[in-house]
Amino acid sequence: MNTKPNILLIYTGGTIGMIKDSETGALQNFNFDELLKFIPELNLLECNIASHSFLKPIDSSNMNPTFWVEIGTIIEDNYNIYDGFVVLHGSDTMSYTASALSFMLENLTKPVIFTGSQLPIGDLRTDAKENLITSIQIASLHKDNKPVITEVGLYFEYKLYRANRTTKVNAEHFEAFDSLNYPPLIISGVNLSVHFPVLLKPNWNKKLVVHKNFESNILLVKMFPGINEEAINYLFSYPNLKGLVLETYGSGNLTNKTWFLKAIKKITNKNIPVINVTQCFGGSVDMSIYNTNKEYRTIGIISGKDITTEAAITKLMLMLGQNVSAKDFKIKFETSLRGEMK
Ligand code: ASP
């Protein structure tokens, strides 16, 4: 690249953009245009930085598909102007938003890097500066005049992950995220060490398509010993139910009690997709291993393989929003769209 890359920072909210009120000590959002005041080091980076802030920055516990679409639309509207995008987001639901964006942005050929922090940017011990500076550097990386990262990534505490492979695993440590089923794309040490073989390879000739329809009439149910029949029947009879993600045990195992099988059959008989995702952070669903799963194999349950719950939920919402036919749903869901499953 002969000229400096242009990077757009999109600030949605979260701890990273907060400072302590000097009188009350409570955290409050600061004016994002004053970013350079807090991180003057940004002036030293080899890129041009512009920023776009949500009108009202939010705590990420208030994230929802309407905001996902807002982020996607900002990227779409600015796609030809900028070489890379860094999205600043609260860490609590960052893996959901970043997974959703990975599915929304089809034929992405530019970096979209999510980051945030555990401590506010104004805090002496903040992790925000390193996370932000390195995310911008990663979004600026080029090789042979082309961006190195052409997917949605999540950068936190010295590692860039494929976003749709991540989960928030720690509310205390700076290393808040992990990706147990896929290796980091970049490790930041003295140098940025890029693991080229694990990066998504784009098709440079295809145009970006941004999918914006999400169906939110879905449920996520986590199995636990003693799960109650009446409660399940009540939940599963929700008249508007369009999809279900089941967090099952180990390699995708479910109780073979007749009442539970019947409850699931009632849903699959209505052509409502049921996705089997493991509660374990690492490893994969394989329903062929145990005999208890025998009956479930015949009723069309969809295997989430080694997908995260965050990616399963957002992929399901997006595919339901695209009106994929019941006949094709299983095959399509079980096929990797953006490297989210094996
Ligand atoms: N509650 C905050 C949020 O997710 C935490 C953070 O920013 O890390 O918005």
Side-chain angles (χ1 to χ4, degrees):
M1 187 157 223
N2 304 326
T3 51
K4 282 184 178 181
N6 295 316
I7 304 299
L8 182 63
L9 298 185
I10 301 168
Y11 177 57
T12 67
T15 306
I16 191 163
M18 292 183 160
I19 46 168
K20 263 194 187 137
D21 184 297
S22 51
E23 274 164 30
T24 63
L27 290 178
Q28 59 179 28
N29 284 304
F30 79 98
N31 180 350
F32 207 70
D33 298 332
E34 293 176 26
L35 186 68
L36 284 178
K37 215 164 82 188
F38 287 91
I39 318 188
E41 296 91 332
L42 291 179
N43 283 317
L44 303 173
L45 291 172
E46 286 290 306
C47 57
N48 304 311
I49 301 171
S51 70
H52 181 116
S53 178
F54 269 17
L55 217 50
K56 277 202 182 131
I58 57 163
D59 186 284
S60 81
S61 42
N62 284 324
M63 255 300 151
N64 61 38
T66 307
F67 290 123
W68 300 342
V69 172
E70 185 171 342
I71 299 168
T73 306
I74 296 169
I75 294 174
E76 183 180 35
D77 291 347
N78 290 283
Y79 197 67
N80 294 329
I81 308 170
Y82 292 93
D83 302 293
F85 302 85
V86 174
V87 183
L88 303 173
H89 193 288
S91 62
D92 289 346
T93 63
M94 193 189 297
S95 291
Y96 289 90
T97 304
S99 296
L101 263 292
S102 78
F103 299 123
M104 288 171 72
L105 303 172
E106 190 177 342
N107 306 327
L108 189 65
T109 55
K110 294 186 178 185
V112 174
I113 312 296
F114 276 75
T115 195
S117 67
Q118 294 282 57
L119 284 176
I121 215 156
D123 194 291
L124 262 187
R125 295 178 57 245
T126 189
D127 50 334
K129 284 191 186 184
E130 199 285 319
N131 285 347
L132 178 56
I133 289 171
T134 309
S135 294
I136 296 172
Q137 282 185 325
I138 289 172
S140 308
L141 276 184
H142 272 74
K143 190 172 181 254
D144 303 332
N145 260 335
K146 293 224 166 11
V148 170
I149 301 296
T150 53
E151 56 183 289
V152 180
L154 187 153
Y155 182 80
F156 227 88
E157 196 61 8
Y158 303 111
K159 286 189 188 122
L160 178 76
Y161 299 108
R162 173 162 302 151
N164 59 30
R165 291 290 196 154
T166 61
T167 298
K168 183 172 180 184
V169 292
N170 206 305
E172 164 72 18
H173 293 166
F174 287 135
E175 205 164 348
F177 290 86
D178 210 339
S179 159
L180 272 141
N181 285 333
Y182 204 76
L185 311 181
I186 294 182
I187 294 185
S188 163
V190 173
N191 296 299
L192 289 180
S193 156
V194 183
H195 299 176
F196 284 96
V198 303
L199 305 180
L200 276 187
K201 314 276 176 298
N203 182 335
W204 301 103
N205 301 320
K206 285 196 168 168
K207 260 195 86 181
L208 178 77
V209 179
V210 185
H211 301 281
K212 296 184 182 176
N213 276 340
F214 287 94
E215 171 58 67
S216 59
N217 281 303
I218 65 164
L219 276 177
L220 165 64
V221 173
K222 181 169 186 160
M223 296 303 292
F224 60 92
I227 198 162
N228 181 281
E229 177 175 357
E230 216 182 321
I232 284 293
N233 285 333
Y234 183 79
L235 275 179
F236 288 7
S237 58
Y238 171 51
N240 251 336
L241 188 65
K242 300 285 187 324
L244 170 70
V245 176
L246 267 185
E247 268 201 9
T248 60
Y249 306 121
S251 51
N253 306 315
L254 283 159
T255 170
N256 60 1
K257 290 272 175 263
T258 319
W259 70 263
F260 195 79
L261 182 66
K262 242 173 87 188
I264 295 286
K265 263 190 186 164
K266 249 192 178 161
I267 298 185
T268 52
N269 283 346
K270 287 191 251 174
N271 281 331
I272 295 172
V274 177
I275 320 291
N276 183 351
V277 171
T278 174
Q279 296 178 7
C280 299
F281 288 135
S284 178
V285 165
D286 180 352
M287 295 190 74
S288 67
I289 300 178
Y290 293 99
N291 214 21
T292 36
N293 281 337
K294 205 171 65 198
E295 330 260 1
Y296 291 101
R297 277 178 233 140
T298 59
I299 60 170
I301 291 196
I302 296 170
S303 171
K305 300 184 184 175
D306 61 346
I307 201 168
T308 60
T309 297
E310 292 86 338
I313 297 257
T314 49
K315 184 175 181 177
L316 178 62
M317 287 168 109
L318 195 95
M319 280 183 59
L320 287 168
Q322 288 180 323
N323 294 321
V324 176
S325 73
K327 189 169 79 44
D328 296 340
F329 209 94
K330 183 171 160 64
I331 294 180
K332 281 209 165 161
F333 196 96
E334 290 178 353
T335 307
S336 169
L337 284 178
R338 312 275 189 268
E340 74 283 4
M341 55 165 57
K342 58 185 175 194

